[in-house]
Amino acid sequence: MSIFLKIGIFVLIEFVLNRIVNLIFRLWAKKHNSVHLRFFKSATNLLIVIVVIYALVQQFDVTKDISKTLLQSGSLIIAVATFAAQHALGNVISGFSLSMSNPYNVDDKIRVVQNGNTIAEGIVMDITIRHTIIRQFNGESCIVPNSVMDNAVITNSNFTENIGNFMEVEVSYDTDIQKAMRIFQQICIEDILTLNTEENKVFVKGYTQNGVVLKSTIWTRNLDDSFQACSDIRAALIRAFRNNGITIPYQTVVVQGKQNGAAITKEGSILS
């Protein structure tokens, strides 16, 4: 049998075995689409490649002798390879750790924080033997090494039954505070995405140089509902406060001058 024919046979075997493994894991993923299944699929594919290459090497006298020599000095090779690829091996080991502990799963919404800084926040798309892929809310995909994921603080929104998001609004000092609080609370309760629970109470958080700060917690079933509900409530608050004569204070500047000998005054927002 020619050399090229043997190589072709082993390449075909590797291709068929990997296709079978992918098919098996795809069927399992339909019932349990978890991160550890995807990780072990990648690890199994890599193991198949290594075994096929080793079996192919044993088919030729020259490469067989080289492989025996390498195996006899295996301790030295392992030490050198471990030192040279310590970061890659660290990612693989961390991948096994993450797959076994399962702190997050595919389609989970997570936030990854390290040393007080947010590294990535979004939806878990996949985990390989080296990294975890997170699709962020701006559409970008963040590829985080498994060693970083293993050492970071991970907040998993799917582990909580409901999502709470703080909302604050400021009203002027001449406002009827109780009336503003009732309007705020009623809007929160009436929104179709919020949970009508005791947590929808409104409190006075504090004071600023412009007015009084009102605060409430907006409770929804998931993170997507939270974004939409907070947006709807902010818009409804502006309309309701305007209809009830409640002012949301903002700083203005007054410019004074003269035109044709007469004094003029112009007032405008510093935000304009």
Side-chain angles (χ1 to χ4, degrees), residues 64-78:
K64 184 185 295 184
D65 294 337
I66 294 176
S67 64
K68 288 182 179 180
T69 303
L70 292 175
L71 289 175
Q72 290 173 357
S73 58
S75 299
L76 178 60
I77 294 174
I78 293 174

Side-chain angles (χ1 to χ4, degrees), residues 44-183:
T44 304
N45 288 336
L46 179 61
L47 180 62
I48 290 174
V49 173
I50 294 174
V51 171
V52 170
I53 292 176
Y54 179 78
L56 178 61
V57 167
Q58 298 301 308
Q59 303 301 313
F60 310 104
D61 294 335
V62 176
T63 54
K64 184 185 295 184
D65 294 337
I66 294 176
S67 64
K68 288 182 179 180
T69 303
L70 292 175
L71 289 175
Q72 290 173 357
S73 58
S75 299
L76 178 60
I77 294 174
I78 293 174
V80 174
T82 302
F83 178 78
Q86 54 183 329
H87 293 295
L89 291 176
N91 288 326
V92 174
I93 294 172
S94 296
F96 275 106
S97 175
L98 292 170
S99 298
M100 298 303 295
S101 59
N102 200 24
Y104 52 84
N105 212 330
V106 177
D107 295 331
D108 281 0
K109 297 180 180 67
I110 66 172
R111 182 170 65 253
V112 184
V113 179
Q114 190 174 54
N115 298 326
N117 299 318
T118 300
I119 299 174
E121 183 175 6
I123 301 173
V124 178
M125 303 303 297
D126 199 2
I127 179 172
T128 68
I129 59 175
R130 179 190 175 277
H131 56 256
T132 298
I133 301 176
I134 302 173
R135 180 168 58 83
Q136 302 188 109
F137 300 122
N138 61 0
E140 297 178 347
S141 293
C142 188
I143 301 174
V144 186
N146 290 332
S147 58
V148 175
M149 297 293 293
D150 198 23
N151 293 319
V153 177
I154 299 175
T155 302
N156 192 330
S157 300
N158 292 69
F159 281 2
T160 58
E161 182 178 357
N162 299 317
I163 301 296
N165 196 356
F166 294 124
M167 179 176 291
E168 298 179 1
V169 61
E170 189 173 0
V171 296
S172 60
Y173 281 112
D174 59 357
T175 299
D176 184 341
I177 300 299
Q178 295 299 324
K179 181 180 180 180
M181 293 173 65
R182 287 195 301 270
I183 293 174

Side-chain angles (χ1 to χ4, degrees), residues 186-222:
Q186 191 63 30
I187 290 175
C188 293
I189 294 176
E190 290 179 351
D191 190 271
I192 61 174
L193 295 178
T194 59
L195 302 178
N196 188 10
T197 64
E198 294 293 330
E199 286 78 4
N200 284 117
K201 292 181 178 179
V202 178
F203 302 92
V204 176
K205 177 186 177 182
Y207 310 100
T208 70
Q209 61 181 352
N210 299 315
V212 181
V213 179
L214 305 181
K215 182 175 181 178
S216 181
T217 305
I218 311 302
W219 289 96
T220 57
R221 297 192 182 279
N222 53 59

